[in-house]
Coordinates of all heavy atoms in Angstrom, one line a residue:
P89 N -3.4 -18.7 11.8 CA -4.6 -17.9 11.9 C -5.5 -18.2 10.8 O -5.1 -18.6 9.7 CB -4.0 -16.5 11.8 CG -2.7 -16.6 11.1 CD -2.2 -18.0 11.4
R90 N -6.8 -18.1 11.1 CA -7.8 -18.4 10.1 C -8.1 -17.2 9.3 O -8.1 -16.1 9.9 CB -9.1 -18.9 10.8 CG -9.0 -20.3 11.3 CD -10.1 -20.6 12.3 NE -9.7 -21.8 13.1 CZ -9.9 -23.0 12.7 NH1 -10.5 -23.2 11.6 NH2 -9.5 -24.0 13.5
P92 N -10.7 -14.5 7.7 CA -12.0 -14.1 8.1 C -13.1 -14.8 7.3 O -12.8 -15.2 6.2 CB -12.0 -12.6 7.8 CG -10.6 -12.2 7.4 CD -9.9 -13.5 7.1
R98 N -18.5 -7.3 6.3 CA -17.4 -6.4 6.6 C -17.9 -5.0 7.0 O -18.9 -4.6 6.4 CB -16.4 -6.3 5.4 CG -15.9 -7.7 4.9 CD -14.4 -7.8 5.3 NE -14.1 -7.8 6.7 CZ -14.2 -8.8 7.5 NH1 -14.6 -10.0 7.1 NH2 -13.9 -8.7 8.8
P99 N -17.3 -4.4 7.9 CA -17.8 -3.1 8.4 C -17.8 -2.0 7.3 O -18.7 -1.2 7.3 CB -16.9 -2.8 9.6 CG -15.8 -3.7 9.5 CD -16.1 -4.8 8.7
Q100 N -16.8 -2.0 6.4 CA -16.7 -0.9 5.5 C -16.6 -1.5 4.1 O -15.5 -1.8 3.6 CB -15.5 -0.1 5.8 CG -15.7 0.8 7.0 CD -14.4 1.6 7.2 OE1 -13.8 2.0 6.2 NE2 -14.1 1.9 8.4
V240 N -4.0 6.3 3.3 CA -3.4 5.0 3.7 C -2.5 5.3 4.8 O -1.5 6.1 4.7 CB -2.6 4.3 2.5 CG1 -2.0 3.0 3.0 CG2 -3.5 4.2 1.3
L241 N -2.7 4.6 6.0 CA -1.8 4.8 7.1 C -1.0 3.5 7.2 O -1.5 2.4 7.5 CB -2.6 4.9 8.4 CG -3.6 6.1 8.5 CD1 -4.4 6.1 9.8 CD2 -2.8 7.4 8.3
M242 N 0.3 3.7 6.7 CA 1.2 2.5 6.7 C 2.1 2.4 7.9 O 2.6 3.5 8.3 CB 2.0 2.5 5.4 CG 2.7 1.2 5.1 SD 4.1 1.4 4.0 CE 5.3 1.9 5.2
H243 N 2.3 1.3 8.4 CA 3.2 1.1 9.6 C 4.6 1.2 9.2 O 5.1 0.6 8.2 CB 3.0 -0.2 10.2 CG 3.9 -0.4 11.4 ND1 5.1 -1.1 11.3 CD2 3.8 0.0 12.7 CE1 5.7 -1.0 12.5 NE2 4.9 -0.4 13.4
S244 N 5.4 2.0 9.9 CA 6.8 2.1 9.8 C 7.3 2.7 11.1 O 6.5 3.2 11.9 CB 7.3 2.9 8.6 OG 6.8 4.3 8.8
D262 N 5.0 -10.7 19.9 CA 3.8 -10.5 19.2 C 4.0 -9.3 18.2 O 3.5 -8.2 18.4 CB 2.6 -10.2 20.1 CG 1.3 -10.1 19.4 OD1 1.2 -10.4 18.2 OD2 0.3 -9.6 20.0
V263 N 4.6 -9.7 17.1 CA 5.0 -8.6 16.1 C 3.7 -8.0 15.5 O 3.5 -6.8 15.5 CB 5.8 -9.2 14.9 CG1 6.1 -8.2 13.9 CG2 7.0 -10.0 15.4
A264 N 2.7 -8.8 15.1 CA 1.5 -8.3 14.5 C 0.7 -7.5 15.5 O 0.2 -6.4 15.1 CB 0.6 -9.5 14.0
G265 N 0.7 -7.8 16.8 CA 0.0 -7.0 17.8 C 0.7 -5.7 18.0 O 0.0 -4.7 18.1
E266 N 2.0 -5.6 17.9 CA 2.7 -4.3 18.1 C 2.4 -3.4 16.9 O 2.1 -2.2 17.0 CB 4.2 -4.5 18.2 CG 4.7 -4.9 19.5 CD 6.2 -5.0 19.6 OE1 6.9 -4.1 19.2 OE2 6.7 -6.1 20.0
V267 N 2.5 -4.0 15.7 CA 2.2 -3.2 14.5 C 0.8 -2.7 14.5 O 0.6 -1.5 14.2 CB 2.5 -4.1 13.2 CG1 2.0 -3.5 12.0 CG2 4.0 -4.4 13.1
L268 N -0.1 -3.6 14.9 CA -1.5 -3.1 14.9 C -1.8 -2.0 15.9 O -2.4 -1.0 15.6 CB -2.5 -4.3 15.2 CG -4.0 -4.1 15.2 CD1 -4.4 -3.4 13.9 CD2 -4.8 -5.3 15.5
A269 N -1.2 -2.2 17.1 CA -1.4 -1.2 18.1 C -0.8 0.2 17.7 O -1.5 1.2 17.9 CB -0.7 -1.6 19.4
E270 N 0.4 0.2 17.0 CA 0.9 1.4 16.6 C 0.1 2.0 15.5 O -0.1 3.3 15.4 CB 2.4 1.2 16.1 CG 3.3 0.9 17.3 CD 4.7 0.4 16.9 OE1 5.3 0.9 15.8 OE2 5.3 -0.4 17.6
L271 N -0.5 1.2 14.6 CA -1.3 1.7 13.5 C -2.6 2.3 14.1 O -3.1 3.3 13.6 CB -1.6 0.6 12.5 CG -0.7 0.5 11.4 CD1 -1.2 -0.6 10.4 CD2 -0.5 1.8 10.6
L272 N -3.2 1.6 15.0 CA -4.5 2.1 15.6 C -4.3 3.4 16.3 O -5.2 4.3 16.3 CB -5.1 1.0 16.5 CG -5.6 -0.2 15.8 CD1 -6.2 -1.2 16.8 CD2 -6.7 0.1 14.8
R285 N -13.7 8.0 9.4 CA -13.3 6.6 9.5 C -13.3 5.9 8.2 O -12.5 5.1 7.8 CB -14.3 5.9 10.5 CG -13.7 4.7 11.0 CD -14.7 4.0 12.0 NE -14.4 2.6 12.2 CZ -13.5 2.2 13.1 NH1 -12.9 3.0 13.9 NH2 -13.2 0.9 13.1
I288 N -10.2 5.9 5.9 CA -8.9 5.3 6.4 C -8.7 3.8 6.0 O -9.6 3.0 6.2 CB -8.9 5.4 7.9 CG1 -8.9 6.9 8.3 CG2 -7.6 4.7 8.5 CD1 -9.0 7.1 9.8
V289 N -7.6 3.6 5.5 CA -7.1 2.2 5.2 C -5.8 2.0 5.9 O -5.0 2.9 6.0 CB -6.9 2.1 3.6 CG1 -6.0 0.9 3.3 CG2 -8.2 2.0 2.9
L290 N -5.7 0.8 6.5 CA -4.5 0.4 7.2 C -3.6 -0.5 6.4 O -4.1 -1.3 5.6 CB -4.8 -0.3 8.5 CG -5.7 0.4 9.6 CD1 -5.8 -0.4 10.8 CD2 -5.1 1.8 9.9
D291 N -2.3 -0.3 6.5 CA -1.3 -1.1 5.8 C -0.2 -1.5 6.7 O 0.4 -0.7 7.4 CB -0.7 -0.2 4.6 CG 0.3 -0.9 3.7 OD1 0.9 -1.9 4.2 OD2 0.4 -0.5 2.6
P292 N 0.1 -2.8 6.8 CA 1.1 -3.3 7.8 C 2.5 -2.9 7.5 O 3.4 -3.0 8.3 CB 1.0 -4.8 7.8 CG 0.4 -5.1 6.5 CD -0.5 -4.0 6.1
G293 N 2.8 -2.3 6.3 CA 4.1 -1.8 5.9 C 5.1 -3.0 5.7 O 6.1 -3.0 6.4
I294 N 4.8 -3.8 4.8 CA 5.7 -5.0 4.6 C 7.1 -4.5 4.2 O 7.3 -3.6 3.3 CB 5.1 -5.9 3.4 CG1 3.7 -6.4 3.8 CG2 6.1 -7.0 3.1 CD1 3.7 -7.2 5.1
K298 N 11.1 -3.9 9.2 CA 10.7 -5.4 9.5 C 11.7 -6.2 8.7 O 11.9 -6.1 7.5 CB 9.3 -5.7 8.9 CG 8.2 -5.0 9.8 CD 6.8 -5.1 9.1 CE 5.9 -4.2 9.8 NZ 6.1 -2.8 9.4
H302 N 9.5 -10.8 10.3 CA 8.5 -9.9 10.8 C 7.4 -9.6 9.7 O 6.2 -9.6 10.0 CB 9.1 -8.5 11.2 CG 10.2 -8.6 12.2 ND1 11.3 -7.9 12.2 CD2 10.2 -9.4 13.3 CE1 12.1 -8.2 13.2 NE2 11.4 -9.1 13.9
S303 N 7.8 -9.5 8.4 CA 6.9 -9.3 7.4 C 6.0 -10.5 7.2 O 4.7 -10.4 7.1 CB 7.6 -9.0 6.0 OG 8.2 -7.7 6.0
A305 N 5.3 -12.7 9.6 CA 4.4 -12.7 10.8 C 3.2 -11.8 10.6 O 2.1 -12.2 10.9 CB 5.2 -12.4 12.0
V306 N 3.4 -10.6 10.1 CA 2.2 -9.7 10.0 C 1.3 -10.2 8.9 O 0.1 -10.1 9.0 CB 2.6 -8.2 9.8 CG1 3.2 -7.6 11.0 CG2 3.4 -8.0 8.6
L307 N 1.8 -10.8 7.9 CA 0.9 -11.4 6.8 C 0.2 -12.6 7.4 O -1.0 -12.7 7.1 CB 1.8 -11.8 5.6 CG 2.2 -10.6 4.7 CD1 3.2 -11.1 3.7 CD2 1.1 -9.9 4.1
Q308 N 0.8 -13.4 8.1 CA 0.1 -14.6 8.7 C -1.0 -14.1 9.6 O -2.0 -14.8 9.7 CB 1.1 -15.4 9.5 CG 2.1 -16.3 8.7 CD 3.1 -17.0 9.5 OE1 3.5 -16.5 10.6 NE2 3.5 -18.1 9.0
E309 N -0.8 -13.0 10.3 CA -1.9 -12.6 11.2 C -2.7 -11.4 10.7 O -3.3 -10.7 11.5 CB -1.2 -12.2 12.5 CG -0.4 -13.4 13.1 CD -0.4 -13.5 14.6 OE1 -1.4 -13.1 15.2 OE2 0.6 -13.9 15.1
L310 N -2.7 -11.3 9.4 CA -3.5 -10.2 8.8 C -5.0 -10.2 9.2 O -5.6 -9.1 9.4 CB -3.4 -10.3 7.3 CG -3.4 -9.0 6.5 CD1 -2.3 -8.1 6.9 CD2 -3.3 -9.3 5.0
P311 N -5.6 -11.3 9.5 CA -7.0 -11.3 9.9 C -7.2 -10.5 11.2 O -8.3 -9.8 11.4 CB -7.3 -12.8 10.2 CG -6.5 -13.5 9.2 CD -5.2 -12.7 9.2
R312 N -6.2 -10.4 12.0 CA -6.3 -9.5 13.3 C -6.5 -8.1 12.9 O -7.2 -7.3 13.5 CB -5.1 -9.7 14.2 CG -5.2 -11.0 14.9 CD -3.8 -11.3 15.6 NE -3.5 -10.4 16.7 CZ -2.4 -10.3 17.4 NH1 -1.4 -11.2 17.0 NH2 -2.2 -9.5 18.4
M313 N -5.7 -7.7 11.9 CA -5.8 -6.3 11.4 C -7.1 -6.0 10.8 O -7.8 -5.0 11.0 CB -4.6 -6.0 10.4 CG -4.5 -4.5 10.1 SD -2.9 -4.1 9.3 CE -1.8 -4.2 10.6
V314 N -7.6 -7.0 9.9 CA -8.9 -6.8 9.3 C -10.0 -6.7 10.3 O -10.9 -5.9 10.2 CB -9.1 -8.0 8.4 CG1 -10.5 -8.1 7.8 CG2 -8.1 -8.1 7.2
D315 N -9.8 -7.5 11.4 CA -10.9 -7.5 12.4 C -10.9 -6.1 13.2 O -11.9 -5.8 13.9 CB -10.7 -8.6 13.4 CG -11.1 -9.9 12.8 OD1 -11.8 -9.9 11.8 OD2 -10.7 -11.0 13.4
A316 N -9.9 -5.3 13.0 CA -9.9 -4.0 13.7 C -11.0 -3.1 13.0 O -11.3 -2.0 13.6 CB -8.6 -3.3 13.7
G317 N -11.4 -3.4 11.8 CA -12.6 -2.7 11.2 C -12.2 -1.7 10.1 O -13.1 -1.2 9.5
Y318 N -11.0 -1.5 9.8 CA -10.6 -0.7 8.7 C -10.2 -1.6 7.5 O -9.6 -2.7 7.8 CB -9.3 0.2 9.0 CG -9.5 1.1 10.2 CD1 -9.2 0.7 11.5 CD2 -10.0 2.4 10.0 CE1 -9.4 1.6 12.5 CE2 -10.2 3.3 11.0 CZ -9.9 2.9 12.3 OH -10.0 3.8 13.3
P319 N -10.5 -1.1 6.3 CA -10.0 -1.9 5.2 C -8.5 -2.0 5.2 O -7.8 -1.1 5.7 CB -10.4 -1.1 3.9 CG -11.5 -0.2 4.4 CD -11.2 0.1 5.9
V320 N -7.9 -3.1 4.7 CA -6.5 -3.4 4.8 C -5.9 -3.4 3.4 O -6.4 -4.1 2.5 CB -6.2 -4.7 5.6 CG1 -4.7 -5.0 5.5 CG2 -6.6 -4.5 7.1
M321 N -4.7 -2.7 3.3 CA -4.0 -2.8 2.0 C -2.6 -3.4 2.3 O -2.1 -3.3 3.4 CB -3.8 -1.3 1.6 CG -2.7 -1.1 0.5 SD -2.9 0.6 -0.2 CE -1.2 0.9 -0.5
V322 N -2.1 -4.1 1.3 CA -0.7 -4.6 1.4 C 0.1 -4.2 0.2 O -0.4 -4.1 -0.9 CB -0.7 -6.2 1.6 CG1 -1.3 -6.6 2.9 CG2 -1.3 -6.9 0.4
G323 N 1.4 -4.0 0.5 CA 2.4 -3.7 -0.5 C 3.5 -4.7 -0.5 O 4.5 -4.5 0.2
A353 N -2.9 -12.8 1.1 CA -3.3 -11.6 1.8 C -4.8 -11.4 1.5 O -5.6 -11.0 2.3 CB -2.5 -10.4 1.4
F356 N -6.8 -13.7 3.5 CA -6.8 -13.3 4.9 C -7.5 -11.9 5.1 O -7.4 -11.4 6.2 CB -5.3 -13.2 5.4 CG -4.7 -14.5 5.7 CD1 -3.3 -14.6 5.9 CD2 -5.4 -15.7 5.7 CE1 -2.7 -15.8 6.2 CE2 -4.8 -16.9 6.0 CZ -3.4 -17.0 6.2
G357 N -8.1 -11.4 4.1 CA -8.9 -10.2 4.3 C -8.5 -8.9 3.7 O -9.2 -7.9 3.8
A358 N -7.2 -8.8 3.1 CA -6.8 -7.6 2.5 C -7.7 -7.3 1.3 O -8.2 -8.2 0.6 CB -5.3 -7.7 2.1
R359 N -7.9 -6.0 1.0 CA -8.7 -5.7 -0.2 C -8.0 -4.8 -1.2 O -8.5 -4.6 -2.3 CB -10.0 -5.0 0.3 CG -11.0 -5.9 1.0 CD -11.6 -7.0 0.0 NE -12.3 -8.0 0.7 CZ -11.8 -9.2 1.1 NH1 -10.6 -9.5 0.9 NH2 -12.6 -10.0 1.7

Side-chain angles (χ1 to χ4, degrees):
R90 286 163 198 275
R98 300 252 62 85
Q100 286 182 33
V240 180
L241 300 178
M242 194 203 80
H243 179 266
S244 64
D262 185 9
V263 182
E266 279 182 54
V267 168
L268 180 56
E270 288 171 37
L271 270 184
L272 290 178
R285 197 180 163 87
I288 297 174
V289 161
L290 302 184
D291 181 332
I294 300 303
K298 293 172 194 73
H302 302 137
S303 289
V306 292
L307 286 170
Q308 285 174 328
E309 303 216 32
L310 215 54
R312 284 169 69 186
M313 189 167 285
V314 172
D315 284 345
Y318 298 91
V320 170
M321 167 167 146
V322 291
F356 284 169
R359 289 293 171 267

